[in-house]
Amino acid sequence: MHRARNEFCSCGSGKRYKHCCGAVIPIVATASDVRPDAPAVPRAAVGSATGAHGEISFEPEPSRDCGNCTACCDGWLTGSIRGHEMSVGVPCHFRGDGGCTIYEERPADPCRGFYCAWRLRGNPFPEQYRPDRLGVIIMAKPWRGRVAYYLHPAGRELDETLLEWMREHSTSTGTPFLFKVNGRHRGYGSPEFQQHLLDKAARGEPLLPGLNPGVGGPCKLLPLSSDLGAIQDTPR
């Protein structure tokens, strides 16, 4: 075994690397890993829509539109739109009662480069996962020619029900996802995905496009069997 895997992990947990950030996260769940009462993954989450490796089109699904959802403009995210700052609690300057007032002329960054996963062609998310209904914005981010999801609260704290749904989807398709608890990123994915994020965090680079490592050290990736209570009790 490589000596580095027996050394103490650099994240400060006090554990050996092989039992901490270097632990292998299984990407395919066995029957014993799936709770009998776990939320069912919609059929669209498996098969040709997303592919075996989480492949998805970054084009909009024609049958879906934003409707009256303005979650991405409501001040849950941050960005600068034509010189006007949007931040937590401060909605976009151009958000109107009926949605974006400059939609056809909206800037490439950050607006056109933002991908609401619920709207993408081939996405696995049911109707009730539209951000304003779910209370969480699920963003799609490109990762090595595939997709990774990032969960961002938009009026609802991430809970075990939603995370269990995402875990089921991840194990079924190989699609990784990230979220944040206690100021630190947490995520699920293959060993390849783990190493990619750990390398990015160690260099202080965005973990995925538009996602900074944040405070508290490197990204902490947890086993698929971890529950929300254990995540919340994890010290920074």
Side-chain angles (χ1 to χ4, degrees):
M1 182 175 292
H2 197 279
R3 185 177 65 86
R5 287 182 57 76
N6 281 318
E7 294 177 348
F8 289 107
C9 189
S10 61
C11 75
S13 67
K15 298 179 181 180
R16 304 284 180 183
Y17 178 78
K18 64 182 180 181
H19 296 307
C20 188
C21 292
V24 174
I25 296 177
I27 194 60
V28 179
T30 63
S32 61
D33 290 328
V34 181
R35 289 187 358 222
D37 59 341
V41 178
R43 185 175 300 275
V46 183
S48 59
T50 53
H53 299 290
E55 297 168 357
I56 193 170
S57 169
F58 280 82
E59 297 295 326
E61 169 58 52
S63 64
R64 284 187 170 175
D65 57 43
C66 298
N68 57 5
C69 177
T70 57
C72 62
C73 310
D74 287 346
W76 303 110
L77 306 174
T78 60
S80 180
I81 301 92
R82 292 188 176 178
H84 296 275
E85 298 298 319
M86 179 175 68
S87 59
V88 178
V90 180
C92 175
H93 176 78
F94 299 101
R95 187 202 67 181
D97 292 338
C100 178
T101 59
I102 58 167
Y103 189 79
E104 296 302 326
E105 296 83 32
R106 67 195 187 282
D109 183 22
C111 304
R112 293 184 187 272
F114 171 82
Y115 296 105
C116 172
W118 182 84
R119 283 207 62 205
L120 295 185
R121 188 188 301 271
N123 81 82
F125 303 111
E127 282 291 327
Q128 63 267 30
Y129 275 33
R130 196 175 79 173
D132 60 332
R133 297 166 181 160
L134 184 64
V136 173
I137 300 170
I138 303 178
M139 292 179 271
K141 298 287 185 178
W143 179 67
R144 296 187 176 179
R146 291 180 270 163
V147 68
Y149 293 124
Y150 184 73
L151 279 61
H152 190 87
R156 166 191 175 184
E157 291 303 316
L158 303 179
D159 56 33
E160 182 59 27
T161 300
L162 177 58
L163 292 178
E164 184 68 18
W165 194 99
M166 294 299 299
R167 282 195 291 264
E168 289 292 298
H169 177 63
S170 182
T171 55
S172 297
T173 66
T175 306
F177 69 97
L178 286 172
F179 58 100
K180 187 182 284 187
V181 174
N182 293 332
R184 291 187 63 181
H185 282 107
R186 304 293 195 265
Y188 295 92
S190 66
E192 178 189 13
F193 184 69
Q194 292 181 57
Q195 194 58 54
H196 171 86
L197 294 183
L198 292 170
D199 291 345
K200 288 282 190 178
R203 295 194 295 266
E205 298 174 359
L207 304 180
L208 292 169
L211 297 182
N212 293 321
V215 299
C219 175
K220 177 68 172 178
L221 289 149
L222 300 174
L224 289 168
S225 58
S226 297
D227 58 30
L228 185 61
I231 294 170
Q232 290 177 327
D233 291 340
T234 303
R236 291 190 184 187

